[in-house]
Amino acid sequence: VDHRQEHAADRQLRVESRADELDGTDQLGQPLERAANLFLVRHGTLITAPASDNILEGIVRSNVLRIAADEKIPVEIRRIDRTELYLCEEAFFCGTGVQVSPITSIDHRPLGNGEVGPIARRIARIYFDAVRGKNAKYRDWLTPIYRK
């Protein structure tokens, strides 16, 4: 194991994400996503909004759902109420620009213990290993580029 890479990954995960990828709430009080998808963790279950909630059905979102299935992490795809943002133990954004970015506080309120949670950390590590070609299980996500 290259410990320098491990420490770099830990530093990357400790960076506090702000919830500025959320664009308020809709008329029913559900968070509106902008350029990234929101995932919450409550009682060990990963929660994300359904496509019918007018979210971006992105590639990274599908990758996160695949990782969760492979890791046997329970998933609920359902509407998310704004109050759940304050009650969840963990949260993270995913998307092309943010990749997998844990959220440690919302509106200056810590989530869980205010640290990156174990499920977000696990998913992020697997995702980053996969996109860097370090996990053969997800090689189908990559396009090889050959030198001449």
Side-chain angles (χ1 to χ4, degrees), residues 4-5 10 21 26 35 50 56 64 72 97 102 107 114 121 142:
R4 289 173 298 175
Q5 288 178 347
D10 285 342
E21 292 296 327
D26 66 12
L56 174 67
V64 166
K72 310 283 190 268
D107 294 340
R121 179 177 301 279
L142 306 175

Side-chain angles (χ1 to χ4, degrees), residues 1-147:
V1 174
D2 183 345
H3 294 290
R4 289 173 298 175
Q5 288 178 347
E6 283 290 321
H7 292 303
D10 285 342
R11 277 195 308 276
Q12 183 176 13
L13 291 174
R14 281 192 212 113
V15 173
E16 179 175 324
S17 295
R18 294 186 327 257
D20 55 2
E21 292 296 327
L22 293 176
D23 196 19
T25 57
D26 66 12
Q27 66 274 18
L28 299 174
Q30 277 77 31
L32 291 173
E33 298 175 5
R34 288 192 323 194
N37 297 111
L38 173 67
F39 282 83
L40 306 181
V41 177
R42 292 195 69 190
H43 311 292
T45 299
L46 195 60
I47 303 166
T48 190
S52 60
D53 276 6
N54 201 25
I55 64 164
L56 174 67
E57 288 188 79
I59 293 168
V60 180
R61 179 178 185 267
S62 337
N63 293 346
V64 166
L65 291 171
R66 179 172 163 194
I67 291 168
D70 291 348
E71 293 294 304
K72 310 283 190 268
I73 298 168
V75 174
E76 285 183 24
I77 298 176
R78 62 170 176 76
R79 299 201 91 178
I80 297 173
D81 188 77
R82 180 164 178 78
T83 59
E84 291 185 277
L85 298 175
Y86 305 113
L87 300 172
C88 65
E89 295 88 39
E90 302 180 48
F92 61 90
F93 288 119
C94 76
T96 303
V98 298
Q99 298 182 358
V100 177
S101 298
I103 301 167
T104 56
S105 67
I106 294 179
D107 294 340
H108 307 291
R109 298 176 188 185
L111 298 182
N113 64 5
E115 303 278 326
V116 175
I119 292 176
R121 179 177 301 279
R122 189 160 120 210
I123 288 172
R125 283 186 194 266
I126 294 168
Y127 174 81
F128 286 119
D129 281 349
V131 299
R132 292 179 180 132
K134 296 179 182 176
N135 189 329
K137 182 188 251 183
Y138 303 105
R139 284 274 158 87
D140 60 308
W141 296 358
L142 306 175
T143 301
I145 299 174
Y146 302 100
R147 291 183 184 181

